[in-house]
Amino acid sequence: MSIMHSLVVIAPDEIWPAVMALNNALGYEAGEGVPISADGQNPITHRGLHTWAQPEFVALATGKVTPEIKGYQPEQIAGVLALLTVSVDAEGLTARAHFDHVLATMGLRTIAFELE
Amino acid sequence: MTTNQEGVHAAVRAETSTTGTYLEDWHALFTADAIAAGPWNARMIAWVNQTLSTSYTSLNDAMNAFAIDQGFSGWTDMNTFSVSAWSPQDLFTAGVDGGWYEISDLSTLFAERTGGGTTPASVDGVVGTCRDKSGLDRHLVAPSDAARPILRLSGGVYHLEFDGVDDTMASASTFTMTSPVFAGVCLTRASAASHGVAQFGFYQSVNNYAAVSANASSEALMQARASAGTALSLATTSTQFANGTTRVLLGRVNTSDGYIQVDSNTEITSSYAGYASPGTAGFVVANRNIAVAGKFHGMIAVVNKSMSADDLNNARTWLGTRGGLTL
């Protein structure tokens, strides 16, 4: 089995539907994404995810390999990828620490949902 | 003529299917029943205590108690015995709903989220489906590929590692949550923050109902809610659930009272009024709204059953064993 890589993807909120659509076309469901903003309060400005990914998927997410996706032109795919912040394996950080590390470098925070 | 010890030896072999010496076969039985390694005497005491839910410290007292439980006047008179290991399946009698999830049973774990799963999960690989072993098909499924936890093996213990970002699993929201409801989980907290562990047990799509959870202050919580989502009660324990520790949390919500218990510590009971069934519900592992960084070893969730003291003891012991604990 291939080594699974810790992969963090952050995207502006307005392109998240496009991120989801591209991933769906590749057979991967990204989900709604974690809501993110600069101060951790609404409104949502970005969305993000953390996943464990095989090398083939990492190559796609980082733009090293451009997939052939029916209905999409290569430049459309490249256009979406250009707007993503993608981080792969962060020197032994745990998944959550990796995610928070990427957010910190971008000046962003997750929008918390507090238990009552 | 068969001596009493030979009869007991045969009974041990019937349980283990081994063919060793008397002591070797007993050790095999102890191991099969998840008794920690050690001298025979200590293991026998532990095995009797586990089997009878007792707390003997004397070998003779323990062995005689076991024999008496088997219908003999004492150990030296016993020439056979029969024990059947407790299984969570014993809880799922007619009319009882719920789910039983056991991460150490790799045959229940699959990479895919749909179709019940076809590709067996492997260590360090993602898990999209955790099948329910109760026979009720309340399978836990990740809502997206990004939400899939990863299967780990650490210290001889299997667990699902939830990433603290977006990992979660839930069953379909398809059963009516007739009280009492009970949830027991074994998990290892993997963060000191509020996302260290939260909300394992039951959920309802609107009210985010939870039976057991924990917070950033390391308190274990039991929540009961009215149908409108208002929290009726929030019982907390003094037993801390600190980062890095493995605990068994047991929680029950009834129409007028509930409790939370951590490991074998004194339960915290809370009474309330105004409870209403939140209606159709499902099970959740980790959380639907707050990401959880934790290692999940197993869960038993039961609906519409009053758990007896023996049920609770057996569930606690079984869950603890999943996480490498002896309770």
Side-chain angles (χ1 to χ4, degrees), chain A residues 5 7 54-68 77-78 81-82 84 86-89:
Chain A
H5 296 277
L7 180 71
Q54 295 188 343
E56 297 81 3
F57 193 81
V58 171
L60 295 175
T62 55
K64 291 178 180 173
V65 174
T66 302
E68 291 184 11
I77 299 170
L81 290 176
L84 304 182
V86 179
S87 174
V88 184
D89 294 334

Side-chain angles (χ1 to χ4, degrees), chain A residues 71-96:
Chain A
Y72 287 87
Q73 298 298 320
E75 52 269 27
Q76 287 178 289
I77 299 170
V80 173
L81 290 176
L83 296 173
L84 304 182
T85 298
V86 179
S87 174
V88 184
D89 294 334
E91 300 291 331
L93 291 177
T94 63
R96 176 67 191 217

Side-chain angles (χ1 to χ4, degrees), chain B residues 103-127:
Chain B
I103 306 309
S104 56
D105 185 351
L106 301 189
S107 71
T108 65
L109 306 177
F110 295 87
E112 296 87 357
R113 301 181 298 107
T114 58
T118 54
T119 306
S122 54
V123 173
D124 297 331
V126 292
V127 175

Side-chain angles (χ1 to χ4, degrees), chain B residues 51-66:
Chain B
T51 304
L52 301 183
S53 297
T54 52
S55 54
Y56 290 105
T57 55
S58 159
L59 178 64
N60 285 340
D61 289 349
M63 293 170 73
N64 282 324
F66 179 76

Side-chain angles (χ1 to χ4, degrees), chain A residues 15-33:
Chain A
I15 74 157
W16 194 258
V19 173
M20 292 175 67
L22 272 179
N23 278 287
N24 284 342
L26 290 167
Y28 180 91
E29 189 169 326
E32 297 297 319

